[in-house]
Amino acid sequence: MKDFILEDYDLNISGGDFEIGESDSQTVEFVLMSKQGEWKQYPETGCDIAKAQHGSINVLLERNIRVQMQADGFNIEKLKIIETGIEINGKYS
């Protein structure tokens, strides 16, 4: 999927215009980092994984990620939650 490319959560400008490119990875990041209610058009979107940073990592977190990504149209091929982060592979349909 092509969209505006963001750098440090700000529009990336190249040659005096907004940079356009593959945005799948940044879209996945935004869904994982967002809290529910932050997206006006889709208030139920968001995993808020930051709250799991110092908490317990369990099957509920994995289920929440799967549900949110599926709702966003992302087909997960591999999801692995480890102490240092999340490994997620897949593609948008």
Side-chain angles (χ1 to χ4, degrees), residues 23-65:
S23 63
D24 291 354
S25 61
Q26 77 181 17
T27 302
V28 169
E29 177 185 356
F30 289 147
V31 171
L32 293 174
M33 298 297 292
S34 296
K35 297 175 186 166
Q36 289 186 342
E38 288 185 334
W39 298 98
K40 183 177 181 180
Q41 188 173 2
Y42 304 104
E44 294 183 2
T45 297
C47 292
D48 193 16
I49 61 168
K51 71 179 178 185
Q53 184 176 8
H54 298 293
S56 63
I57 298 174
N58 55 29
V59 294
L60 293 177
L61 176 62
E62 181 178 345
R63 181 184 180 285
N64 188 29
I65 291 170

Side-chain angles (χ1 to χ4, degrees), residues 4-5 10 36 45 50 53 65 67 76 82-83 87-89:
F4 297 113
I5 300 300
D10 197 9
Q36 289 186 342
T45 297
Q53 184 176 8
I65 291 170
V67 167
I76 295 176
I82 55 178
E83 289 181 19
E87 294 178 17
I88 186 167
N89 291 327

